[in-house]
Amino acid sequence: MSQASTGVATGEVSPKLGYAATLLVAALWMVPFLWMLVAAFNPESIGAGMASLVPSYIPTLANFREAWASADFPRYGLNTTIISLGILAVQVVTITLAGYAFARLEFPGRTLCFYLFLLQLMLAPVVLIVPNLTTIARLGLYDTLLGVMAPYFVSAFGTFLMRQAFRAIPRELEDAALIDGAGVFQRIGFIYLPLARPSLVAFSIVSVTAHWNEFLWPLMVINSPDLRPLTVGLASFTRGAEGAQAWGVIAAGTLLVSAPLLLAFALFQRAFVNSFVSSGIK
Amino acid sequence: MAQAVFTAGRTSAWSAPRWRPRQASVLAFALLAPSLLFLALFTYWPVAQVLWQSMHGQIRVGGPQAYVGLDNFQKLLADAAFRKALVNNLVYALGTVIPSLVLALGFAMALVKTTRVNALFRALFFLPVLIPLVAAASIFLFLFLPNVGLIDYHLAKLAISGPNWLGDPDIALWSIMALTIWKNAGYYMLFFLAGLQAVPADAYEAAILDGAGPWQRLRYVTLPYLKPTIGFVLVIGLLNVVTQVDHVFVLTKGGPSDSTNLLLFYVYQQAVENYDAGRAAAGTLVMLALLLVVTASSLRTLERSFGEKEP
């Protein structure tokens, strides 16, 4: 649909007043970030004056040095990376196969299967935290990164996303490959997956963002400090620094933990926004 | 659709002779097997377990599990902390989803034109979505600090003595809700931005010719077109509020006097701090029931979004 044909381009959507209000709210929305930045580079980490939103000092990295020294952020970052990418790697396989089945194959119980998948959409593993923890323990995965990852290896949302993408691909392409003698995995791998790349990218961004930021489930599964992801590490780090009222150090630690995704967003803004919009599917 | 292709053997390319229905079914279930295995392990089996556990418990401390009927539910209902968590979660759900939705719609309408400045504002509203909820909570911990914290400090400049945002049982839940709204509004904004693209210009032009003012255009043009988006955001939002409690951990631990306790946090407390598996399971079942109500009442919206029905 061309932009010119929508109400959007003619600017008839909102009254001018709305824009002024937005400016005001935007200023309000910025405050937490602004404070994080100002406090993180403040040479004073403790005491009065931490509430300033205007830097009145020469910026220093002292808070970052202290945060870096008091928590093993590189290790947490590595754990988070392993968790997010590990989940994604398995998900790509499961959602591609299931997505193909839903998109291109007719089988008895298809509607029932659809609803069974839909069930997972509402029952995030974190809701079933207690029984899932028992399962993880029985599988011998308690206090392992694999235990954090396993409940997310299948994604109903991803399956539906891939199904939509696969449906939009002309069957003729697959038929041509079929005639050439390509097996089902070859057809999925060489025809469907490359053409569904935008959806796959969208899913990857949403999935990695979600698991990068996840807290409660890893908190339950992980016991060893060495295996903590960033979020769990930050929570315990904040608890320690809060007692010392070291707000500058907390701000620096928070910035360290938030930086990877913020940086990725700065680099791939459009992809991020598009992926979150397509997570609404349609 | 494809069913007809198989059974009637029409000359659609897909009815290539090597694909008989039975083969297609075998293949389909083979492809679904990995997903179904994980769904069974981490969705269906846990639900069954919760059902079983909710009716079992230890009659003596340290004793074996025994059937206790509806005991766990009775204990649950008798527990003031649980009732508080239930009410809190309802207040929290309505008090965060609806304001976030209204704000998101406002942001989207104001920023729908693609200009450089608007792109910047969109990014600004979207940033909270990207930072972990625990990180947001760490920042808000200082914002809400009594007296010296960011909010109270600036209120003091206006000669207003700010309340104890997280320490006052009447205010704490609302403080936490403010954080949730800050975190989510930008996410919902994206859906509305996408939804607004689908409103045809003619609709606005016709409305203007008919002499419709801005509010009438909103009421009779924009909102009707956005109805599916509003429905979807509502569902996503309501499903989210039950599963997000990270900020409660960092900010209040459910206190003061359970004023910020939410269902999932209550379940966590029962399971991890009180070792009461039966009550935790009963609590989980209440959560599942609520989620089921939301999902069932929105099945049409979900089906449309995830496209089981043909367009």
Side-chain angles (χ1 to χ4, degrees):
Chain A
M1 172 188 14
S2 86
Q3 268 267 316
S5 70
T6 67
V8 170
T10 56
E12 296 303 340
V13 174
S14 71
K16 288 264 183 300
L17 193 72
Y19 208 78
T22 309
L23 269 174
L24 207 73
V25 182
L28 206 64
W29 241 243
M30 262 175 61
V31 166
F33 284 109
L34 208 59
W35 177 77
M36 178 168 68
L37 283 175
V38 171
F41 293 98
N42 194 334
E44 276 176 67
S45 174
I46 301 171
M50 287 308 295
S52 173
L53 282 175
V54 188
S56 57
Y57 51 75
I58 301 157
T60 160
L61 293 175
N63 290 329
F64 290 96
R65 253 179 255 125
E66 198 176 332
W68 196 262
S70 52
D72 198 350
F73 284 110
R75 159 81 54 181
Y76 302 158
L78 180 69
N79 291 336
T80 297
T81 310
I82 293 171
I83 291 169
S84 314
L85 295 184
I87 290 172
L88 180 65
V90 180
Q91 276 178 339
V92 167
V93 175
T94 56
I95 68 172
T96 301
L97 299 183
Y100 176 83
F102 275 123
R104 284 294 188 246
L105 299 172
E106 189 65 36
F107 52 96
R110 187 161 168 248
T111 312
L112 178 72
C113 271
F114 178 80
Y115 286 116
L116 282 176
F117 272 70
L118 210 57
L119 198 66
Q120 196 236 7
L121 217 52
M122 71 170 201
L123 298 182
V126 73
V127 178
L128 299 165
I129 197 157
V130 181
N132 274 343
L133 202 62
T134 320
T135 308
I136 288 295
R138 281 210 190 128
L139 294 172
L141 296 176
Y142 179 73
D143 202 23
T144 65
L145 293 182
L146 193 59
V148 179
M149 295 187 253
Y152 295 100
F153 280 164
V154 58
S155 160
F157 158 65
T159 303
F160 295 139
L161 195 67
M162 294 315 281
R163 169 185 180 277
Q164 299 291 82
F166 289 165
R167 282 193 144 193
I169 295 165
R171 278 177 188 239
E172 286 74 18
L173 289 173
E174 181 175 12
D175 293 331
L178 192 63
I179 289 162
D180 288 345
V184 67
F185 292 110
Q186 284 173 312
R187 300 201 298 278
I188 293 174
F190 293 114
I191 294 169
Y192 282 99
L193 268 188
L195 288 170
R197 226 188 97 188
S199 294
L200 211 55
V201 169
F203 175 75
S204 307
I205 292 174
V206 172
S207 168
V208 168
T209 305
H211 298 116
W212 192 280
N213 292 343
E214 170 131 45
F215 170 73
L216 184 54
W217 175 246
L219 175 76
M220 299 282 285
V221 176
I222 295 303
N223 193 30
S224 321
D226 275 0
L227 294 175
R228 282 177 187 159
L230 280 171
T231 48
V232 177
L234 177 69
S236 72
F237 163 80
T238 299
R239 210 172 306 128
E242 189 197 350
Q245 301 268 308
W247 296 103
V249 182
I250 290 180
T254 310
L255 191 55
L256 278 175
V257 169
S258 310
L261 281 186
L262 293 180
L263 214 66
F265 175 71
L267 290 175
F268 307 106
Q269 219 192 94
R270 190 176 289 266
F272 261 87
V273 168
N274 289 343
S275 69
F276 277 86
V277 170
S278 63
S279 74
I281 307 193
K282 268 269 164 60
Chain B
M1 179 196 78
Q3 182 69 56
V5 171
F6 285 124
T7 51
R10 275 192 315 195
T11 50
S12 158
W14 194 233
S15 64
R18 63 168 76 188
W19 286 101
R20 279 183 294 278
R22 177 180 299 233
Q23 274 178 306
S25 307
V26 171
L27 177 63
F29 282 105
L31 294 177
L32 286 172
S35 295
L36 288 173
L37 171 74
F38 287 114
L39 282 175
L41 261 179
F42 296 109
T43 305
Y44 313 140
W45 172 240
V47 171
Q49 244 183 318
V50 164
L51 278 169
W52 185 88
Q53 182 70 66
S54 71
M55 287 177 283
H56 290 76
Q58 293 167 337
I59 291 166
R60 280 175 296 106
V61 176
Q65 294 271 342
Y67 179 76
V68 294
L70 296 176
D71 250 26
N72 286 319
F73 291 95
Q74 270 166 4
K75 271 195 273 175
L76 198 65
L77 285 176
D79 186 356
F82 171 76
R83 292 200 306 266
K84 188 98 195 176
L86 187 64
V87 173
N88 283 344
N89 223 144
L90 294 177
V91 172
Y92 178 79
L94 294 178
T96 58
V97 174
I98 291 169
S100 307
L101 197 144
V102 172
L103 274 171
L105 181 60
F107 295 164
M109 283 180 11
L111 302 177
V112 69
K113 272 201 256 183
T114 36
T115 65
R116 247 164 218 284
V117 183
N118 282 357
L120 197 73
F121 278 128
R122 288 178 187 182
L124 189 72
F125 288 127
F126 183 67
L127 285 185
V129 180
L130 294 175
I131 76 166
L133 193 50
V134 269
S138 292
I139 302 175
F140 276 66
L141 202 58
F142 181 77
L143 264 58
F144 288 139
L145 202 65
N147 304 321
V148 291
L150 188 108
I151 300 175
D152 278 5
Y153 174 84
H154 286 92
L155 282 180
K157 282 187 177 167
L158 303 169
I160 301 169
S161 130
N164 186 349
W165 298 100
L166 297 172
D168 184 336
D170 292 332
I171 300 176
L173 184 62
W174 299 94
S175 304
I176 285 190
M177 284 158 63
L179 162 57
T180 308
I181 294 169
W182 179 77
K183 185 90 171 63
N184 289 340
Y187 183 36
Y188 305 153
M189 170 188 75
L190 294 183
F191 298 127
F192 285 122
L193 280 171
L196 283 174
Q197 306 288 332
V199 186
D202 318 2
Y204 286 113
E205 280 158 20
I208 289 167
L209 280 179
D210 289 344
W215 290 113
Q216 285 166 313
R217 291 204 294 272
L218 174 69
R219 170 76 183 76
Y220 296 106
V221 182
T222 311
L223 288 184
Y225 273 103
L226 287 182
K227 228 170 132 187
T229 315
I230 294 172
F232 181 77
V233 169
L234 211 58
V235 179
I236 295 289
L238 288 175
L239 293 182
N240 267 346
V241 291
V242 178
T243 56
Q244 296 175 336
V245 294
D246 310 0
H247 45 341
V248 175
F249 274 82
V250 175
L251 290 176
T252 61
K253 298 255 171 213
S257 50
D258 284 317
S259 61
T260 59
N261 207 343
L262 299 176
L263 286 174
L264 184 54
F265 189 77
Y266 176 87
V267 167
Y268 164 86
Q269 279 181 322
Q270 294 311 319
V272 176
E273 288 164 20
N274 296 349
Y275 301 107
D276 192 339
R279 209 187 297 190
T284 305
L285 267 190
V286 173
M287 266 194 314
L288 292 190
L290 290 177
L291 288 169
L292 202 66
V293 168
V294 173
T295 314
S297 61
S298 60
L299 207 55
R300 246 162 214 286
T301 310
L302 287 173
E303 273 180 343
R304 218 179 3 242
S305 304
F306 297 108
E308 176 59 4
K309 299 277 179 286
E310 296 299 322

